Amino acid sequence: MLSVLRVHLPSDIPIVGCELSPYVLLRRPDKTVTTDDVPESAPLDGHFLRYKWYRIQSDRKVAVCSVHPSEQATLQCLGCVKAKIPVAKSYHCSPKCFSDAWQHHRVLHDCAASAVNENGNEEEEIFGRFNSTGSGVISASLTGSASSTSLTNGSTPLYPTAVTQRSGGETWFEVGCSKTYTPTTDDIGHVLKFECVVIDAETKLPVGQPNTLLTSRVIPAPSPSPRRLILVGGADMMGQLDSDGRLSSSGTFTVLSYNILSDSYASSELYSYCPSWALSWPYRRQNLLREIVGYRADIVCLQEVQCDHFDEFFAPELDKHGYQALYKRKTNEVYSGNIHTIDGCATFFRRDRFSHVKKYEVEFNKAAQSLTEVAVQTTQKKVALNRLVKDNVALIVVLEAKFTNQGADNPGKRQLLCVANTHVNVQQELKDVKIWQVHTLLKGLEKIAASADIPMLVCGDFNSVPGSAPHSLLAMGKVDPLHLDLLVDPLAILRPHSKLTHQLPLVSAYSAFLRGIGLGLEQQRRRMDPATNEPLFTNCTRDFIGTLDYIFYTADSLTVESLLELLDEDSLRKDTALPSPEWSSDHIALLAEFRCVPRTRH
């Protein structure tokens, strides 16, 4: 007979908006073991599986910490309550938690204080004096009656009116009847119960005892503050990116470049500082999608997109938001694992803004094979291929704009745009391979430029810091023959050094923060390195902080109108590296708004 051997949840903490998909291990009547579902529509030997999800409401309501939402709150800031700051933001799990969070928490008080001061200087009376222990009138223990305060989500009660079961001081509400369940805001702070039972197909009665599991308390999905789009011409800010309506004018377009951190690389060993629930793919994919869609970019260049995640998640989900998708998977001469988890570069564009004209795929492995055939001695070919074949790729897309370019000399002319999206080899000791890959890509783009009068964008994770030889080649069009990176060249593929040039007038988009005019740019300038004209960092882990990601553009045909504000270390919270519950990649997204301009050269 059909029987359930085990039920298990891969994620240890349920999060609002992230689907829970239990692992159910079955024994078939023939004694084989499987994880395949047995629905009522296709019973097996007269039996099928029935699933139920319940929300458990305890008579003792529980508040959760605003900083560590998986922890029960023990302190509440009374200043928040009296100042009518949202109650959820007032809870903390310990005095240390409150003390550590004070720098960020006090911003809430500062905003409320101005309103208080209009009615007299009552700030100290209401907020009290803060000290490092977190004690005093500003905090109170959430025990006894204090913890039984009714919790609500806005004006909507957290709990439905219908009671399904009640047992031992707990009320169970049935919230789902399928195998999977996606927690809602109503579930925050509550334990969920999953139940799986074998049902007789004829009598519709349970056979044997149900298999159950209990989750941890459901937590809200942490969300970072929206990043603003900053004008580089002197104005302050253009507003929040998640507001309704387009922020850019009809003659401009926005481009996003973002390494989203492939799930195959997001190991708990590598990112031990990130909570396991925040590192899980079901959580990260929803958080990444929410962030990407919120930027409302016209063109989206993503790196480290697993091929199965592209097919099953990103392409269909972004299609719902009006994006057409193109993808280039890395080659797999080196990789020997599951082919579905190989990552690659994905480029999306809004169908109402652009149409697809042409696609070029660059496989650096093929270029390596061609190079070794003509430039490497026969005895060294195997060694050369072992060094050069690293599976990296680039995706080049030619698009045609559907919007009018009011500033062009000839408004009736087709407005084409070439967008390159790449992910350069990560190994820091292979400096020659990095330079060679970037040079190979640029030579391909030069051929496209020679065949068409077309503006160009070069986006991606180049795994190269500002001032490195690959960055110099991109930004300066050449590499100093005395550059230290050129000393690493065991195959002599970079010689003569004079060949390491290109004729594309590329400029890094984010250098516009240093060239711009206006007080609104001062904060962004502090997040830039004036020696390299690049952000201080686009990648931030416990082991490394620096810039690896860039958006380059041809300055003779495009101009930067605005840029997505940069994060600083305070934005990431003190002593926090990426990924984190708020930011689901170890990289930060870059976004620039461009306008096509008449070419300045002929």
Side-chain angles (χ1 to χ4, degrees):
M1 190 184 76
L2 184 69
S3 60
V4 179
L5 299 178
R6 183 189 177 205
V7 293
H8 170 67
L9 267 180
S11 182
D12 53 350
I13 296 179
I15 304 108
V16 171
C18 297
E19 183 182 78
L20 297 170
S21 183
Y23 172 89
V24 179
L25 188 65
L26 305 174
R27 177 176 284 126
R28 294 170 171 267
D30 62 3
K31 306 302 181 183
T32 59
V33 175
T34 181
T35 57
D36 293 339
D37 194 13
V38 183
E40 185 175 4
S41 58
L44 185 63
D45 196 28
H47 297 84
F48 64 91
L49 294 180
R50 186 184 70 192
Y51 307 104
K52 296 282 187 182
W53 286 91
Y54 299 95
R55 178 194 310 134
I56 301 177
Q57 175 190 334
S58 172
D59 288 349
R60 180 176 178 272
K61 299 179 181 66
V62 174
V64 296
C65 177
S66 60
V67 179
H68 307 100
S70 60
E71 301 295 328
Q72 183 175 334
T74 62
L75 298 175
Q76 184 175 27
C77 174
L78 296 183
C80 288
V81 176
K82 293 180 180 180
K84 298 182 179 180
I85 292 168
V87 68
K89 297 181 182 296
S90 68
Y91 295 125
H92 296 269
C93 58
S94 68
K96 183 179 186 303
C97 167
F98 187 46
S99 175
D100 290 346
W102 177 245
Q103 181 181 354
H104 299 275
H105 185 84
R106 69 181 299 173
V107 175
L108 301 175
H109 290 208
D110 292 341
C111 293
S114 58
V116 172
N117 287 330
E118 288 178 3
N119 298 319
N121 191 8
E122 304 169 355
E123 185 173 357
E124 185 167 311
E125 177 186 343
I126 289 180
F127 296 121
R129 291 186 178 274
F130 175 76
N131 60 52
S132 61
T133 65
S135 61
V137 299
I138 200 164
S139 58
S141 174
L142 289 183
T143 57
S145 61
S147 65
S148 62
T149 306
S150 176
L151 296 177
T152 60
N153 179 34
S155 60
T156 305
L158 280 177
Y159 317 117
T161 56
V163 176
T164 60
Q165 298 182 45
R166 185 170 177 81
S167 173
E170 293 179 342
T171 307
W172 296 1
F173 300 94
E174 184 179 325
V175 292
C177 56
S178 62
K179 185 177 181 181
T180 61
Y181 177 68
T182 302
T184 69
T185 53
D186 291 343
D187 300 319
I188 293 174
H190 297 291
V191 170
L192 299 176
K193 177 181 177 180
F194 172 69
E195 180 181 276
C196 173
V197 64
V198 176
I199 301 294
D200 186 296
E202 185 175 341
T203 66
K204 300 296 190 289
L205 295 175
V207 178
Q209 294 298 313
N211 288 262
T212 62
L213 60 79
L214 297 178
T215 71
S216 303
R217 297 185 188 279
V218 176
I219 67 172
S223 57
S225 300
R227 294 168 65 189
R228 300 168 299 171
L229 200 58
I230 309 291
L231 282 170
V232 296
D236 188 6
M237 66 189 86
M238 297 183 68
Q240 303 295 345
L241 281 169
D242 58 350
S243 61
D244 293 331
R246 294 199 54 80
L247 295 175
S248 57
S249 63
S250 60
T252 67
F253 61 93
T254 51
V255 179
L256 174 74
S257 185
Y258 195 9
N259 180 327
I260 62 169
L261 179 59
S262 168
D263 184 46
S264 58
Y265 306 144
S267 68
S268 56
E269 292 79 18
L270 194 58
Y271 302 104
S272 58
Y273 49 84
C274 183
S276 58
W277 59 265
L279 204 55
S280 69
W281 181 241
Y283 172 75
R284 289 205 308 117
R285 72 176 185 177
Q286 292 295 341
N287 208 33
L288 288 165
L289 180 66
R290 185 165 47 243
E291 181 185 0
I292 292 165
V293 169
Y295 292 135
R296 300 178 61 82
D298 297 307
I299 301 168
V300 177
C301 295
L302 303 182
Q303 303 87 43
E304 287 195 25
V305 182
Q306 281 186 199
C307 56
D308 56 340
H309 295 162
F310 174 81
D311 292 332
E312 298 168 10
F313 183 72
F314 285 108
E317 288 298 324
L318 286 171
D319 177 71
K320 297 174 186 176
H321 294 273
Y323 288 94
Q324 185 170 328
L326 297 165
Y327 183 70
K328 175 56 183 173
R329 191 187 73 188
K330 286 182 180 176
T331 43
N332 59 324
E333 280 85 346
V334 177
Y335 186 75
S336 59
N338 183 350
I339 194 170
H340 298 295
T341 63
I342 296 176
D343 65 288
C345 297
T347 299
F348 304 84
F349 60 90
R350 296 178 69 97
R351 286 186 290 263
D352 62 338
R353 300 279 284 167
F354 291 95
S355 58
H356 177 221
V357 176
K358 199 163 186 177
K359 170 185 174 183
Y360 301 90
E361 296 182 349
V362 179
E363 295 184 358
F364 294 115
N365 284 3
K366 286 185 177 179
Q369 291 164 356
S370 300
L371 176 67
T372 54
E373 287 297 323
V374 299
V376 178
Q377 296 179 3
T378 304
T379 55
Q380 285 191 302
K381 288 189 189 300
K382 185 175 181 179
V383 173
L385 287 173
N386 283 340
R387 187 171 184 87
L388 293 174
V389 170
K390 298 302 176 190
D391 291 343
N392 298 92
V393 297
L395 174 62
I396 303 172
V397 178
V398 177
L399 304 173
E400 180 177 357
K402 293 183 177 180
F403 52 87
T404 57
N405 182 17
Q406 298 166 343
D409 289 336
N410 183 3
K413 184 181 178 182
R414 293 176 72 193
Q415 181 59 68
L416 298 179
L417 179 69
C418 180
V419 183
N421 179 10
T422 192
H423 187 190
V424 171
N425 185 249
V426 67
Q427 293 167 275
Q428 295 307 308
E429 67 275 14
L430 299 180
K431 298 184 186 300
D432 53 326
V433 178
K434 292 178 187 289
I435 304 167
W436 171 77
Q437 287 184 350
V438 171
H439 185 249
T440 300
L441 172 61
L442 290 170
K443 287 301 172 184
L445 292 174
E446 275 189 327
K447 292 179 181 179
I448 297 173
S451 64
D453 183 20
I454 184 169
M456 291 195 167
L457 293 162
V458 187
C459 307
D461 175 1
F462 291 84
N463 273 308
S464 303
V465 298
S468 65
H471 179 264
S472 296
L473 182 58
L474 283 159
M476 308 298 293
K478 60 183 179 179
V479 181
D480 187 328
L482 300 179
H483 199 293
L484 294 178
D485 284 359
L486 300 183
L487 297 177
V488 181
D489 188 17
L491 302 174
I493 59 173
L494 305 179
R495 300 171 194 163
H497 298 155
S498 58
K499 76 175 182 180
L500 298 177
T501 62
H502 69 88
Q503 300 303 313
L504 301 172
L506 294 179
V507 174
S508 178
Y510 270 77
S511 65
F513 270 147
L514 292 173
R515 300 193 308 271
I517 303 170
L519 295 175
L521 299 179
E522 286 306 312
Q523 184 182 46
Q524 300 306 309
R525 287 188 178 123
R526 290 194 294 270
R527 300 172 185 179
M528 297 283 292
D529 181 356
T532 63
N533 288 349
E534 296 290 1
L536 290 174
F537 69 89
T538 64
N539 180 253
C540 179
T541 69
R542 283 275 172 85
D543 302 319
F544 174 82
I545 181 166
T547 294
L548 302 174
D549 309 85
Y550 309 93
I551 299 176
F552 285 93
Y553 67 99
T554 46
D556 64 341
S557 54
L558 295 169
T559 184
V560 179
E561 298 280 301
S562 56
L563 294 165
L564 185 64
E565 68 175 335
L566 293 167
L567 297 178
D568 57 16
E569 291 182 74
D570 286 340
S571 306
L572 304 177
R573 291 193 174 182
K574 187 178 179 182
D575 299 326
T576 299
L578 298 177
S580 68
E582 290 83 8
W583 305 100
S584 286
S585 175
D586 54 347
H587 293 250
I588 66 169
L590 300 179
L591 183 146
E593 181 186 25
F594 293 97
R595 183 184 297 276
C596 294
V597 296
R599 286 187 178 271
T600 56
R601 62 183 175 87
H602 302 282

